[in-house]
Amino acid sequence: MKSFKVVDFNGPLQEVDQETPQPSGTQVLLKVKAAGVCHSDLHIWEGGYDLGHGRKPLSLRDRGVSLPRTMGHETVGEVLAFGPDVTAEDKDDLAIGDVALVYPWLGCGHCAICLAGDENMCLQPNSLGVYCDGGYADHMTVPNPKYLLNLRGLDPVTAAPYACSGVTTYSALKKVASDLHTPIVIFGAGGLGLMALSLLRAMGGKGAIVVDIDARKRAAAEQAGALATVDGTAPDALEQLVSKAGGPIRAVIDLVGNAKTSQLGFDCLTKGGKLVIVGLFGGGATWALPLIPIKAITIQGSYVGNLRETRELLDLVRTAHIAPIPVTPMPLAKANQALVDLQQGRLVGRAVLTP
Ligand SMILES: [Zn+2]
Ligand SMILES: [Zn+2]
């Protein structure tokens, strides 16, 4: 088994060869077919997040991310073997040779939050590719078959990103589900933003006004069906948003998450509106606190999504024939290059490693 591991935060990934593990207990052994390189892998690789206001960065080491670690939380694999304790009931519709998406956002598995199906919110996270080894490898073990979602014919390379960027966007849209009949505002026209536009359409939404500071990305958003776009750096960005929405803005999804986007997102909301922050760009917020109660604004964070939402998302992709987001397949051996390219903004579409 070959894997590419972070051995030092910020250092080059190291290629590690070891014996391919045999699945024990309820584990399932997969042959990796695709592993998406996600922007949050950069944060793991760099070891933390910028919290703004000159605060010490949020360190992943302090949060229990130990090294060496095989990253990769957007993984599709072919089932090679089940552990001895996997029952027929556990396997459900999964058989040897099936190709499945790995749900990576695991918790402890036994607390009330996990038992309620919100493992992504568990206080003892065990996310694959973050706290446990993930998909930057040619093989991978998953603790239980229930975390494997049979792709049933979906393409492995374009389906891999549904495990993170897909379910992240889907879960954020669900948080404003009651406002989707009105135009919503989306900050960020990168991969997540384009994914949000196609999911929004599939969910029957009215559409979105997309804010991005990059003209090429705004053009991409318009091509992907945005109702309108706004340059976030324009001095009249707020007025443009309000006029292009043609009515009160009830919902904002901030896929960037920096001081400017969260401020503009907050300012454009009408009374009772909701700002959902998804992006982890970093920094601090300077909202005028009295406006939060006066406008009765809800500010909600959204972190990935749960297993149920991931299942719903794959069903939606299949039934609504959602077009895949652009991907750049790269050989696994180029894992390090893929990260550097992502860090330097050189990637077109999402890099997906294929062993
Ligand atoms: Zn991710
Ligand atoms: Zn738990």
Side-chain angles (χ1 to χ4, degrees):
M1 165 176 168
K2 193 187 286 294
S3 58
F4 285 82
K5 291 182 188 290
V6 181
V7 288
D8 284 309
F9 288 117
N10 260 318
L13 300 185
Q14 207 169 87
E15 182 179 335
V16 176
D17 285 286
Q18 64 197 100
E19 207 165 314
T20 304
Q22 288 309 304
S24 60
T26 60
Q27 284 180 336
V28 183
L29 175 67
L30 299 179
K31 183 174 193 317
V32 175
K33 299 198 68 98
V37 178
C38 175
H39 195 265
S40 58
D41 288 336
L42 283 184
H43 291 293
I44 301 166
W45 186 39
E46 290 164 355
Y49 296 98
D50 172 15
L51 295 180
H53 300 306
R55 295 184 188 104
K56 181 174 165 285
L58 179 63
S59 152
L60 288 170
R61 196 192 294 271
D62 294 347
R63 299 187 75 200
V65 175
S66 60
L67 300 184
R69 172 72 56 239
T70 307
M71 298 194 297
H73 52 261
E74 297 184 343
T75 314
V76 167
E78 178 186 335
V79 177
L80 287 188
F82 292 102
D85 298 341
V86 176
T87 64
E89 194 187 344
D90 292 337
K91 285 182 197 167
D92 195 16
D93 67 342
L94 209 62
I96 305 276
D98 280 348
V99 176
L101 180 70
V102 179
Y103 176 78
W105 309 113
L106 311 192
C108 69
H110 45 74
C111 72
I113 297 164
C114 286
L115 293 177
D118 293 315
E119 291 204 39
N120 56 313
M121 302 298 289
C122 177
L123 299 178
Q124 290 170 276
N126 278 303
S127 310
L128 305 175
V130 183
Y131 296 93
C132 305
D133 285 341
Y136 287 15
D138 54 12
H139 290 78
M140 174 179 176
T141 52
V142 173
N144 193 293
K146 71 180 173 189
Y147 303 119
L148 294 172
L149 309 180
N150 201 328
L151 279 190
R152 291 201 202 93
L154 290 177
D155 169 53
V157 172
T158 50
Y162 291 130
C164 179
S165 57
V167 76
T168 295
T169 330
Y170 180 68
S171 183
L173 285 166
K174 283 198 78 175
K175 290 180 172 72
V176 295
S178 59
D179 296 318
L180 294 185
H181 61 286
T182 66
I184 66 167
V185 171
I186 294 174
F187 283 85
L192 248 59
L194 300 185
M195 176 95 72
L197 286 171
S198 53
L199 292 181
L200 182 57
R201 190 176 322 118
M203 292 163 84
K206 176 96 180 163
I209 298 150
V210 178
V211 184
D212 203 292
I213 57 173
D214 183 333
R216 287 169 312 165
K217 290 188 179 164
R218 290 198 300 278
E222 273 164 23
Q223 246 176 359
L227 298 173
T229 57
V230 171
D231 177 358
T233 60
D236 63 340
L238 178 59
E239 291 73 19
Q240 282 191 47
L241 274 174
V242 171
S243 85
K244 287 178 178 178
I249 297 168
R250 298 201 46 83
V252 171
I253 295 180
D254 184 357
L255 301 172
V256 179
N258 68 27
K260 284 202 170 119
T261 57
S262 61
Q263 184 68 54
L264 186 54
F266 180 88
D267 289 344
C268 76
L269 281 172
T270 188
K271 284 189 177 177
K274 189 189 262 192
L275 169 63
V276 179
I277 302 179
V278 177
L280 287 161
F281 189 94
T286 52
W287 300 308
L289 296 179
L291 290 181
I292 299 175
I294 289 169
K295 290 172 76 180
I297 300 277
T298 302
I299 299 165
Q300 184 171 16
S302 189
Y303 178 70
V304 298
N306 62 30
L307 179 59
R308 188 178 58 249
E309 289 167 329
T310 313
R311 238 178 247 290
E312 286 172 16
L313 170 62
L314 285 192
D315 288 343
L316 185 67
V317 168
R318 261 188 229 100
T319 55
H321 306 290
I322 292 177
I325 58 159
V327 295
T328 306
M330 288 175 90
L332 174 64
K334 292 214 164 155
N336 204 63
Q337 190 60 45
L339 275 180
V340 173
D341 285 354
L342 181 63
Q343 193 179 38
Q344 299 181 353
R346 283 199 298 251
L347 282 175
V348 180
R350 202 170 194 77
V352 177
L353 303 173
T354 51

